[in-house]
Amino acid sequence: MEREIANYLLTEKIYESIDSEVYRGTKKSDGQSFIVKVLKEEYPSPQELTRYKQEYKIVSQLDIDGVIKAHALETNRKSLAIVLEDFGAVSLEKLMQDCLLPCQSGELSTRISEFLHLAIAVCKILGQIHAAKIIHKDINPSNIVLNLETKEVKIIDFGISTVLTVENPSLKHPSVLEGTLAYISPEQTGRMNRVLDYRTDFYSLGVTFYELLTGKLPFETSNVMELVHCQIAKQPIPPQELRAIGSSEYVSESISQIVMKLMAKKAEARYRSAWGLKADLEECLRQWENGNSITQFTLGSQDIPL
């Protein structure tokens, strides 16, 4: 069913969260395609409206190719809508559901190469976001989008992002925690008495990589309290030990160690910068393209903090 908001005709719902809906549509004046993100509630709370305004402000100020571009913040009766660029991309979550990711099909060499190219691209974007002093706080496959034809990758949804400061999250019930629970870091649960900085995004990225490589989440439980406990105290099975996408050879020991380093329980044991992570991923790609194998090497040798 078509829907109109301001000067936009919404034709296809492409994503739905607890409080928002995302549509693909066109501008009525010229037919140009856009993505429109709208609040579900007809009368949203002041906090929700403030969050949308903050998201629009952050995205508008981030002049980064790998961050979705915001075109307008439109009034929708008593609510708001954010108008974003449409570059023909689909979320990694949707691509995984439909088994369309190149790194989840085809020959082993293609799978490893495609995963590393994708991981490096995401890592580069995240490094630029951190350099702009922004913590995303909700990195997961639904917030990373890929155009399968052009291979262009972008990060979306800065709804809970904050300016990089020393932030100590208060203890909250998991049902109201910010972020997507299966992907948030131990310190983002508010139960670690630890400050929250950009390394929380590395943990979430590690979970995302884990799922891309194995087809599974590190902790698969529908019990909220049990999931929080796992995030804080339980070690996941290393990707190398799982039969990933039908092949135990798919995850080399070095790639597995990179993912586990990202998912370290203590932030100081993770990478200190996206650039150090990117360098290690590029070394894996260099080795693979030179000989279809990846030998172990010292991780983090080029890891310099911001």
Side-chain angles (χ1 to χ4, degrees):
M1 178 180 292
E2 293 185 346
R3 176 181 175 186
E4 291 188 19
I5 287 180
N7 189 34
Y8 299 88
L9 182 64
L10 312 185
T11 56
E12 176 192 4
K13 183 190 289 188
I14 57 177
Y15 182 71
E16 181 174 352
S17 66
I18 294 174
D19 54 12
S20 296
E21 294 175 336
V22 181
Y23 293 86
R24 178 168 275 118
T26 57
K27 193 171 185 178
K28 289 188 286 185
S29 59
D30 59 14
Q32 186 175 352
S33 180
F34 287 98
I35 301 296
V36 182
K37 179 179 179 181
V38 300
L39 283 162
K40 278 185 179 178
E41 296 294 330
E42 187 175 355
Y43 299 99
S45 67
Q47 292 80 6
E48 289 176 309
L49 294 173
T50 298
R51 182 169 57 81
Y52 257 45
K53 291 175 183 176
Q54 175 73 2
E55 178 177 3
Y56 177 73
K57 180 180 178 182
I58 288 175
V59 176
S60 297
Q61 293 176 348
L62 280 175
D63 187 20
I64 298 171
D65 287 342
V67 169
I68 201 78
K69 298 292 185 290
H71 287 274
L73 182 65
E74 298 282 358
T75 300
N76 176 33
R77 295 180 182 174
K78 298 294 184 180
S79 186
L80 293 172
I82 302 175
V83 181
L84 303 158
E85 69 171 316
D86 181 7
F87 68 104
V90 182
S91 72
L92 298 190
E93 179 184 50
K94 175 66 172 172
L95 291 171
M96 283 193 289
Q97 289 173 353
D98 296 343
C99 299
L100 293 176
L101 275 181
C103 58
Q104 293 185 314
S105 60
E107 296 298 323
L108 177 63
S109 59
T110 301
R111 294 202 297 259
I112 294 179
S113 178
E114 289 283 356
F115 167 76
L116 289 171
H117 278 291
L118 177 60
I120 289 166
V122 173
C123 191
K124 179 180 177 182
I125 298 165
L126 192 58
Q128 293 174 316
I129 292 170
H130 289 166
K133 301 191 182 302
I134 299 294
I135 314 171
H136 188 280
K137 290 169 60 179
D138 201 15
I139 296 293
N140 67 72
S142 68
N143 289 334
I144 301 170
V145 295
L146 168 69
N147 182 307
L148 283 173
E149 292 185 6
T150 65
K151 307 301 183 185
E152 188 175 10
V153 181
K154 297 200 179 195
I155 290 177
I156 65 171
D157 198 345
F158 289 74
I160 61 171
S161 300
T162 57
V163 176
L164 188 60
T165 58
V166 176
E167 183 182 346
N168 195 356
S170 59
L171 187 66
K172 299 177 183 177
H173 188 277
S175 65
V176 295
L177 289 178
E178 288 186 321
T180 307
L181 188 55
Y183 301 87
I184 65 173
S185 67
E187 64 269 24
Q188 201 167 329
T189 66
R191 285 162 165 71
M192 297 283 286
N193 193 28
R194 299 292 300 270
V195 296
L196 191 68
D197 63 24
Y198 56 86
R199 291 172 295 187
T200 191
D201 286 342
F202 295 149
Y203 185 95
S204 302
L205 186 61
V207 179
T208 299
F209 287 171
Y210 191 105
E211 189 175 13
L212 284 171
L213 289 165
T214 68
K216 302 176 181 292
L217 285 166
F219 309 113
E220 295 188 318
T221 174
S222 58
N223 184 292
V224 173
M225 293 306 298
E226 182 182 352
L227 181 53
V228 170
H229 171 74
C230 289
Q231 299 285 51
I232 295 171
K234 187 176 180 180
Q235 288 295 332
I237 299 171
Q240 188 190 24
E241 296 181 20
L242 294 174
R243 291 190 63 83
I245 324 299
S247 171
S248 59
E249 297 180 85
Y250 178 59
V251 184
S252 74
E253 187 169 353
S254 291
I255 294 176
S256 183
Q257 287 175 349
I258 288 171
V259 173
M260 295 302 287
K261 182 175 176 68
L262 285 167
M263 293 175 55
K265 300 300 183 186
K266 294 183 178 180
E268 56 266 28
R270 299 175 206 147
Y271 283 91
R272 296 179 293 173
S273 73
W275 312 123
L277 168 60
K278 180 171 172 284
D280 285 352
L281 291 168
E282 288 174 337
E283 173 61 19
C284 289
L285 181 60
R286 184 193 67 79
Q287 289 192 29
W288 183 258
E289 291 184 337
N290 285 341
N292 280 3
S293 65
I294 303 172
T295 59
Q296 283 189 274
F297 59 93
T298 303
L299 300 183
S301 62
Q302 299 183 50
D303 194 17
I304 301 172
L306 288 173

